Amino acid sequence: MEEFASGFLNVIEEDAASGMEDHEDEVQRDAADTAEPDSQKKRRSLRNGIFRAANIQDKLLEKLVSQVIPADDGHSQVPDMTGGDPPAFTERPGFSLPLMTTNFRRFNARIGVVFKFQARVLRLLSWRRPTHTLSFLAVYTFVCLDPYLLFALPLAISLFGIFVPSFIARHPAPTPDADRVRNMSYYPRGPPLAPARTVKPTKELSRDFFRNLGDLQNVMEDFSVAHDKIIALVVPKTNFSDEALSSALFVLLFASFLLMLIAAHLLPLRFIALVGGWAGILSGHPAVARWLQQTKLEYLEPTNSAASSSSSPPRDAQQQQQQQQQQQQTTTQKKKSPIPIPNIPFQTLITNDILLDSEPETREVEIFELQRQSPTTREWEPWLFSPSPYDPLSAPRIAGERPRGARFFEDVLPPPGWEWSEKKWALDLWSREWVEERIITGVEVETEGERWVYDICNSGGGGSSSGDGLSGGDEGEAGLTRNDSGSGHGRTPSGLNWEEGDEGMGRRGQWRRRRWIRMVKRKKVTTSG
């Protein structure tokens, strides 16, 4: 809050200093322009006051936004390029309210050409001038029949859409005056008679500037409406919220994909493009649009009204008679049809044909119970439950780190996204198998009894404990077992291994462990909204 207050005072002081400078400039300007009319002086002072107030407001808002949004968030800068090549992107400025305002004004002054192009395309497709639309259809037909003409199309647009109008603007035709000049034909000869045509941005606060603002507002609304409609139409069918429907669509799309890989070369692409383009453009003709609207009202509205009337009870006897007549007509139509057509909805087919997995995915997790031998009493003391066996040649053991895990069995948690499917842990009786899978050496394995796996001390004491004291954490997570888990720690076997001596032979180390297993299942994730 103190930083914001100091920044606020700095903004006020800067604005006051700039205001004093502007005031001195105005005094000098007024002294220089003493002969200027009073109306222009009032207009200039009003404009300067408005701009000064807007400048103060922009600076205050920028200071407020800078306190809310961090200045350096990592998005505006590009990482340094250590090589000799130049960076692909230049450094971009951060968010700034005055810069945003300036860029929006410049953008709005130059976006008019896009809206003009949009208006011309709409006029072309809506058959405002049938000759223009038919000419476009002729060009489209030639391109569909001979697709190689598509490479000549940009050149033709450049020639007849840019160069020819620019030359005619530079060499305009004479004005028609039949009384004075008899021959009024156009001859592009002689020196240029008019300045070259240029594209200039519209002036601020002009009529075109506000027209661009209105068009930009409408385009934003159209984009928002189209975005919401597409999301409402596509996302519920593709995000597997209804797994049966999304699975059916996936199967259909995959089958279509395989079919297209095989038979795509057999499709008459030119004919499809030609017929599709003509149908799309003809649908915008007023007469065709009216016919489509009448067809929609004739075939779709009666079904909707019948559904609504069947869902609602009849109010009087006349409506009841109409419903009975409609039912009789439908029954007679069904009797007249020689082959009965089953009316099975698509959702019923989906529910009957698409079978979903009802049971969640299950996995097996493991935890190792570690015990340490007391150096004084020579008794085994419970130490902790760790997700790793902490064998003599493991990386934490060599680095001298202490084992990490949970002190009690109840503190062992399932992996993230999983939950327990069994109530109790089970002791793994196949101790030799998990030792062989991890290629653990320097240990002695019990194949009977409690299935402990002991450390074996060699002559150099390589199997002795490297870490003493309490565990590094009070909680632990069980690890998911995999077929390739513990495929090796990247070590070379040294000392005795479990195959080189009988059980109970050799000097045992300070650590022993055994493996417990338990089943888990995937947790159902519920999202709100």
Side-chain angles (χ1 to χ4, degrees):
M1 191 67 186
E2 293 178 357
E3 295 179 358
F4 179 71
S6 61
F8 182 80
L9 294 177
N10 293 333
V11 170
I12 296 296
E13 291 177 359
E14 292 176 0
D15 292 336
S18 61
M20 292 296 294
E21 294 177 358
D22 294 341
H23 182 67
E24 293 177 358
D25 295 338
E26 288 180 1
V27 170
Q28 294 178 1
R29 193 182 299 110
D30 292 340
D33 300 337
T34 55
E36 192 176 5
D38 294 339
S39 61
Q40 294 183 1
K41 290 181 180 180
K42 292 180 180 179
R43 190 180 304 139
R44 178 180 297 176
S45 62
L46 180 61
R47 184 174 64 251
N48 293 335
I50 292 174
F51 287 150
R52 190 182 300 112
N55 191 14
I56 295 174
Q57 184 180 4
D58 291 342
K59 288 185 177 180
L60 291 177
L61 288 176
E62 182 182 6
K63 182 61 67 176
L64 178 61
V65 170
S66 64
Q67 296 295 329
V68 176
I69 301 176
D72 187 7
D73 55 354
H75 296 285
S76 60
Q77 295 182 358
V78 179
D80 298 334
M81 303 291 289
T82 56
D85 298 334
F89 301 98
T90 58
E91 186 176 353
R92 310 289 290 179
F95 177 77
S96 175
L97 194 62
L99 185 60
M100 181 71 179
T101 305
T102 304
N103 291 341
F104 180 76
R105 290 175 180 174
R106 295 178 62 227
F107 174 78
N108 188 69
R110 292 162 175 80
I111 196 64
V113 61
V114 177
F115 296 133
K116 290 181 180 178
F117 176 76
Q118 180 185 6
R120 290 184 179 180
V121 170
L122 291 177
R123 286 198 299 267
L124 182 68
L125 298 180
S126 60
W127 295 79
R128 295 286 182 86
R129 294 184 178 178
T131 54
H132 292 182
T133 308
L134 292 176
S135 301
F136 173 75
L137 286 174
V139 174
Y140 180 77
T141 303
F142 282 117
V143 171
C144 290
L145 295 178
D146 190 2
Y148 294 103
L149 294 177
L150 191 62
F151 295 97
L153 189 60
L155 303 178
I157 293 175
S158 300
L159 288 175
F160 300 103
I162 299 176
F163 284 94
V164 171
S166 299
F167 181 82
I168 293 176
R170 189 78 164 135
H171 300 268
T175 57
D177 195 351
D179 297 335
R180 298 181 181 180
V181 182
R182 292 183 179 179
N183 191 3
M184 296 298 298
S185 59
Y186 177 65
Y187 291 100
R189 298 178 181 177
L193 304 177
R197 187 177 63 177
T198 58
V199 179
K200 296 181 180 180
T202 59
K203 296 181 180 180
E204 294 187 4
L205 305 180
S206 62
R207 181 177 299 176
D208 294 336
F209 187 82
F210 285 103
R211 185 182 294 111
N212 292 343
L213 281 177
D215 293 336
L216 187 60
Q217 164 192 316
N218 298 332
V219 167
M220 289 177 359
E221 174 65 18
D222 295 340
F223 175 80
S224 300
V225 172
H227 176 271
D228 294 342
K229 288 185 178 180
I230 292 174
I231 292 299
L233 180 64
V234 176
V235 171
K237 297 179 178 60
T238 57
N239 63 354
F240 284 87
S241 58
D242 186 356
E243 290 196 3
L245 178 60
S246 300
S247 302
L249 292 177
F250 176 80
V251 171
L252 291 176
L253 290 177
F254 187 74
S256 302
F257 167 72
L258 295 179
L259 182 62
M260 287 297 104
L261 288 179
I262 299 173
H265 64 284
L266 301 177
L267 296 177
L269 299 180
R270 298 181 183 180
F271 179 76
I272 293 174
L274 180 62
V275 174
W278 272 83
I281 295 176
L282 286 176
S283 63
H285 193 274
V288 179
R290 287 193 298 268
W291 177 76
L292 291 176
Q293 186 68 21
Q294 292 176 359
T295 306
K296 179 181 178 181
L297 294 175
E298 182 178 356
Y299 290 98
L300 296 181
E301 291 297 333
T303 57
N304 296 334
S305 61
S308 60
S309 61
S310 61
S311 60
S312 61
R315 296 181 181 179
D316 50 5
Q318 185 177 1
Q319 291 183 358
Q320 188 175 2
Q321 291 178 0
Q322 291 179 359
Q323 287 186 2
Q324 291 178 358
Q325 291 178 0
Q326 290 178 359
Q327 291 177 0
Q328 291 177 0
Q329 289 179 1
T330 54
T331 52
T332 52
Q333 289 177 1
K334 290 181 180 179
K335 291 179 179 179
K336 289 181 180 179
S337 59
I339 302 176
I341 300 175
N343 187 11
I344 302 176
F346 183 65
Q347 191 67 29
T348 305
L349 294 175
I350 291 175
T351 54
N352 293 334
D353 296 339
I354 303 298
L355 300 178
L356 301 176
D357 295 333
S358 58
E359 297 296 331
E361 180 185 2
T362 58
R363 290 285 185 90
E364 183 185 83
V365 296
E366 61 181 5
I367 197 73
F368 293 92
E369 180 186 0
L370 301 182
Q371 289 187 359
R372 184 175 180 272
Q373 190 179 28
S374 175
T376 57
T377 61
R378 309 300 297 176
E379 294 181 357
W380 295 100
E381 300 176 351
W383 201 252
L384 52 78
F385 295 89
S386 174
S388 63
Y390 199 66
D391 56 289
L393 294 181
S394 61
R397 191 80 170 269
I398 295 175
E401 298 178 358
R402 299 174 181 177
R404 297 181 180 273
R407 294 297 302 274
F408 304 101
F409 232 149
E410 293 78 8
D411 296 334
V412 179
L413 303 176
W418 299 78
E419 60 184 359
W420 302 119
S421 62
E422 294 180 350
K423 294 183 179 181
K424 295 181 180 181
W425 290 87
L427 179 63
D428 187 7
L429 302 178
W430 304 93
S431 54
R432 180 174 295 181
E433 276 71 10
W434 66 263
V435 172
E436 289 179 350
E437 287 178 0
R438 288 170 169 80
I439 318 179
I440 297 176
T441 58
V443 295
E444 176 187 337
V445 182
E446 283 185 356
T447 57
E448 296 179 356
E450 296 182 350
R451 267 65 173 183
W452 289 103
V453 177
Y454 297 87
D455 292 348
I456 298 177
C457 294
N458 53 10
S459 60
S464 61
S465 173
S466 300
D468 296 328
L470 296 176
S471 63
D474 294 336
E475 293 184 358
E477 292 180 354
L480 287 174
T481 59
R482 300 179 182 274
N483 295 331
D484 57 347
S485 62
S487 60
H489 298 283
R491 55 178 180 266
T492 58
S494 62
L496 297 174
N497 56 25
W498 64 272
E499 294 178 347
E500 293 176 352
D502 296 333
E503 297 177 6
M505 297 182 61
R507 182 183 177 185
R508 292 177 176 176
Q510 296 181 350
W511 292 94
R512 69 177 183 177
R513 78 279 301 152
R514 59 181 175 179
R515 183 172 178 260
W516 296 82
I517 56 176
R518 192 175 180 180
M519 298 301 294
V520 292
K521 61 181 180 180
R522 293 295 296 268
K523 185 187 298 184
K524 183 178 181 181
V525 180
T526 58
T527 57
S528 59

